[in-house]
Amino acid sequence: MKGRTIALDELDGTEAAALIVDGQLHDLLIDSDHPRPGTIYRAVALRPVKGQGGMFLRTPDGNAFLRQVKGLAPGDALLVQVTGFAEPGKAIPVTSRLLFKSRYAIVTPGAPGINVSRQIKDDDLRDTLLGIAHEVMEGDHGLILRSSCAAGDPDDIAEDIAAMIQLAAQVLADTSGEPETLVEGDGPHALAWREWESDEVDGTPGSFERHNVLDALEDLRSPMVALPGGGSMCIEPTRALVAIDINTGNDTSPAAGLKANMAALRELPRQLRLRGLGGQILVDPAPAPKKDRRQMEQVLRAALKQDATETILAGWTQLGLMELQRKRERMPLREVLR
């Protein structure tokens, strides 16, 4: 089945959303009881962390940690935004650089200027969007017009910008008092509408079953991923890192190692995205000549360009492992589906 479909449903009473591209599960969002990324708190500073340049903060949902703190003393109140999910036993990661995101716009307090997504190439359309923004913008906030504006109605875009400006003004004026949640982060259904482009939205009950999402979830419960050509990839998260082992299977040809590695590295970003995995990642490739490493890197970098989560290819270890660092933006699927 060709095209892009968004399925909105629930899993055991928990809100969830899936993006299906050409019949394959491409992305998955499942709510949890952890603070959602994008949540904005009025927090209170607790104590600095010597040697790390950061400070612990008190929020309604527990302690948070803010990096690169200057001029902040214990007891001070400040506004912060959740940037990701905390590892077990660790503080909620937050930033003091607030972003107010909607489908068409991102309002950026403290970073003035109006910018249009580089994905919008048409000069006339860019000029039209800038005109809309200048008519609606107020104050000293910055604004980013997202790529979704290319297919948006001008009135909807203007309304979206105005709503985000109003929300930003309300939040930025509420800086005094005890810890409080000022803005709740978007849930899976709202995030799907905001972040995913689609040809169809199926929001009626049972959409996951109709679009084979439940079958894909069963596959994701296993660490094993079958690869084209008979090879396989095993993805095993540990407390310290995510270990990935690539195998050739029954293929004993001279090029078996390279073929398995290329197939696995093309698939890797999708698997990490669907499984909600991040942090330090080590890939143990199938046996292949050292001269093939550059080709393998090129394949992985091309696949990562299609993935929105920041992932850095750090290089190779002395033992021949590929080392990656990926931002933790989601709860691991294994914890959500317990």
Side-chain angles (χ1 to χ4, degrees), residues 192-234:
W193 173 81
R194 193 184 84 190
E195 300 294 337
W196 295 343
E197 296 180 4
S198 67
D199 305 308
E200 175 194 5
V201 177
D202 185 350
T204 54
S207 66
F208 274 18
E209 184 173 2
R210 284 192 296 276
H211 296 283
N212 300 318
V213 175
L214 299 181
D215 292 339
L217 283 173
E218 283 304 309
D219 292 340
L220 290 169
R221 291 179 184 272
S222 170
M224 298 302 298
V225 179
L227 300 172
S232 65
M233 170 170 56
C234 183

Side-chain angles (χ1 to χ4, degrees), residues 254-259 261-262 265 286-299 316 322:
L258 180 59
K259 288 193 295 183
N261 291 332
M262 301 288 265
L265 295 174
K290 197 171 183 178
K291 64 181 178 62
D292 292 336
R293 287 185 178 182
R294 176 166 294 186
Q295 190 176 355
M296 292 162 58
E297 290 176 14
Q298 290 174 343
V299 166
W316 297 80
M322 296 184 79

Side-chain angles (χ1 to χ4, degrees), residues 24-36:
Q24 183 184 57
L25 182 61
H26 182 78
D27 207 347
L28 179 68
L29 300 170
I30 305 174
D31 210 359
S32 73
D33 55 1
H34 292 255
R36 295 168 174 170

Side-chain angles (χ1 to χ4, degrees), residues 9-81:
D9 210 333
E10 292 186 348
L11 289 171
D12 297 327
T14 300
E15 186 177 300
L19 176 62
I20 300 97
V21 178
D22 297 336
Q24 183 184 57
L25 182 61
H26 182 78
D27 207 347
L28 179 68
L29 300 170
I30 305 174
D31 210 359
S32 73
D33 55 1
H34 292 255
R36 295 168 174 170
T39 296
I40 298 177
Y41 299 122
R42 181 175 60 243
V44 173
L46 290 175
R47 65 184 188 279
V49 181
K50 294 182 179 180
Q52 295 187 26
M55 180 169 279
F56 283 109
L57 313 174
R58 181 160 54 93
T59 80
D61 295 320
N63 286 355
F65 183 70
L66 177 65
R67 297 182 181 276
Q68 299 178 345
V69 174
K70 291 183 179 180
L72 188 65
D76 288 349
L78 72 160
L79 302 179
V80 293
Q81 189 167 38

Side-chain angles (χ1 to χ4, degrees), residues 229-252:
S232 65
M233 170 170 56
C234 183
I235 303 174
E236 295 185 301
T238 71
R239 184 172 180 84
L241 50 83
V242 178
I244 298 171
D245 183 43
I246 303 173
N247 294 290
T248 59
N250 295 325
D251 189 348
T252 58

